């Protein structure tokens, strides 16, 4: 695995005419991690991955992948695998045709790995891709992605249209590839359960901007739910960053981020699930809670 960061962006933005699909995006993702990229539809996840794959060029800012500019040459292209939305395959080509195409286009192609995966999955090499089920097409696309032997695999919601069983099988196969190939992954999804099952690093993208990023275990350890008598959040201690808030006439419920113990006895403190944490940032954005700096690097 390269010693460079898997993905580094500074002030990255992409504009389509008057609409910014991504703006002021700054982040650094360590190499060798399985990263969950989470956010609502339209948040900019697909745009970020297309920029990382070199399919788009930035309007503003810079992006580096494994120390190089995306799609800047044959060597750089070989380092990165990409499975776009809807796990694209060619309906008129057979499974075997896809493997031959992969071998012809990728200098690091591992024919033995590709053949072994197809056999394990029970796919008929003569079967046209257009006649495969959604889960089988997703697995074929994943096979093409891992058999090129990339250092980083970008997956743009590859399982969103699959049924729960096919989704679980896809993620299990992905994790096997991560372990066997020491593969770094950025997995875009709006399903927190998929991220929880597969990922160890989280990026939450809302409204085209990074709201938080970091090691999942660290994020869960430093975010807390506070429940107690109604209180003005402005009275929180300076080391407690407000993420989201809700209030009744008598009670306040706050999600805060802090590395310090919460000593106020008026609060009942509880831990968050990963889904709680993600939803706090989504709801906090709607509540116009001032965002934390976009760059959040765990070393």
């Amino acid at each position: 695995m390269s010693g460079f960061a898997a993905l580094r962006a500074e002030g990255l933005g992409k504009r389509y005419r008057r609409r910014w699909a991504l703006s002021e995006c700054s982040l650094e993702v360590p190499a060798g991690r399985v990263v969950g990229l989470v956010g609502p539809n339209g948040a900019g996840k697909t745009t970020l991955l297309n920029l990382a794959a070199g399919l788009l060029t930035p309007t503003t800012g810079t992006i580096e992948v494994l120390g190089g500019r995306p799609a800047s040459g044959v060597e750089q292209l070989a380092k990165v695998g990409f499975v776009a939305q809807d796990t694209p395959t060619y309906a008129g080509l057979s499974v075997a045709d896809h493997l031959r195409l992969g071998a012809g286009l990728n200098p690091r192609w591992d024919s033995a790995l590709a053949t072994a995966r197809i056999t394990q999955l029970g796919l008929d090499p003569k079967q046209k891709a257009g006649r495969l089920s959604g889960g089988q097409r997703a697995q074929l696309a994943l096979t093409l992605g891992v058999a090129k032997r990339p250092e980083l695999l970008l997956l743009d919601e590859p399982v969103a249209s699959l049924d729960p069983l096919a989704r679980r099988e896809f993620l299990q196969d992905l994790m096997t590839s991560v372990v066997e190939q020491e593969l770094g992954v950025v997995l875009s999804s709006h399903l927190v359960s998929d991220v929880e099952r597969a990922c160890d690093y989280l990026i939450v993208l809302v409204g085209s901007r990074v709201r938080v990023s970091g090691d999942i275990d660290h994020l869960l350890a430093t975010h807390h739910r506070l429940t107690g008598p109604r209180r003005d959040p402005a009275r929180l201690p300076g080391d407690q960053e407000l993420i989201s808030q809700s209030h009744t006439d008598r009670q306040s419920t706050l999600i805060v981020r802090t590395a310090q113990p919460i000593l106020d006895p008026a609060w009942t403190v509880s831990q968050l699930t990963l889904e709680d944490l993600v939803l706090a940032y989504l709801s906090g954005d709607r509540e116009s809670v001032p965002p934390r700096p976009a760059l959040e690097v765990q070393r």
Side-chain angles (χ1 to χ4, degrees):
M1 180 62 64
S2 169
F4 295 106
L7 179 64
R8 179 183 291 114
E10 292 287 347
L12 183 66
K14 181 63 180 180
R15 183 176 62 192
Y16 298 96
R17 296 185 178 179
R18 296 183 178 181
R19 184 180 69 86
W20 286 91
L22 194 71
S23 65
E24 299 181 29
C25 176
S26 295
L27 74 158
E28 183 172 330
V29 177
R33 306 298 294 271
V34 183
V35 180
L37 178 62
V38 179
N41 292 334
K45 302 187 300 295
T46 293
T47 298
L48 177 58
L49 292 184
N50 278 303
L51 287 164
L55 298 176
L56 296 174
T57 56
T59 304
T60 60
T62 61
I63 182 170
E64 289 185 358
V65 177
L66 298 168
R69 183 167 55 84
S72 57
V74 174
E75 183 178 352
Q76 183 68 23
L77 285 167
K79 293 180 180 179
V80 181
F82 182 49
V83 178
Q85 278 189 2
D86 302 322
T87 54
T89 53
Y90 297 96
L93 296 184
S94 69
V95 171
D97 290 334
H98 281 82
L99 300 193
R100 282 191 287 270
L101 184 62
L105 294 176
N106 297 288
R108 302 183 185 180
W109 183 260
D110 190 332
S111 294
L113 173 62
T115 301
R117 286 202 88 250
I118 293 304
T119 301
Q120 179 186 1
L121 293 166
L123 297 182
D124 179 357
K126 298 179 181 179
Q127 186 79 28
K128 295 291 182 67
R131 293 185 173 273
L132 298 176
S133 69
Q136 289 173 326
R137 288 194 300 273
Q139 290 285 17
L140 176 58
L142 179 61
T143 298
L144 297 175
V146 299
K148 72 174 291 185
R149 287 289 185 179
E151 295 180 33
L152 179 66
L153 183 60
L154 307 173
L155 301 172
D156 188 8
E157 300 202 26
V159 296
S161 62
L162 303 186
D163 63 67
L165 179 59
R167 187 162 67 243
R168 184 177 66 181
E169 291 174 345
F170 180 95
L171 292 173
Q172 287 174 340
D173 281 354
L174 173 63
M175 297 313 299
T176 298
S177 297
V178 167
V179 172
E180 292 179 349
Q181 298 182 220
E182 298 182 357
L183 180 65
V185 176
V186 179
L187 170 67
S188 166
S189 180
H190 62 272
L191 300 172
V192 178
S193 58
D194 291 344
V195 173
E196 194 165 26
R197 181 178 293 122
C199 301
D200 57 24
Y201 195 96
L202 176 71
I203 299 171
V204 178
L205 195 64
V206 182
S208 83
R209 298 188 183 189
V210 176
R211 290 286 282 119
V212 70
S213 65
D215 181 272
I216 288 177
D217 287 342
H218 178 78
L219 293 177
L220 290 175
T222 54
H223 286 76
H224 311 276
R225 179 185 290 107
L226 309 184
T227 306
R230 186 177 176 104
R231 183 183 303 188
D232 182 356
R235 295 171 53 198
L236 287 173
D239 63 356
Q240 294 179 12
E241 178 192 357
L242 179 65
I243 305 302
S244 71
Q245 57 183 305
S246 62
H247 305 274
T248 65
D249 289 342
R250 297 185 178 183
Q251 180 175 286
S252 292
T253 301
L254 312 179
I255 305 297
V256 301
R257 182 177 189 176
T258 180
Q260 303 302 317
I262 298 170
L263 303 176
D264 189 335
W267 291 121
T268 298
V269 183
S270 56
Q271 300 302 306
L272 304 182
T273 65
L274 186 61
E275 183 173 17
D276 291 334
L277 189 150
V278 171
L279 290 175
Y281 278 96
L282 301 188
S283 64
D285 188 74
R286 289 195 298 269
E287 295 162 7
S288 299
V289 173
R292 66 179 300 102
L295 182 58
E296 178 65 27
V297 184
Q298 300 298 328
R299 299 193 184 278

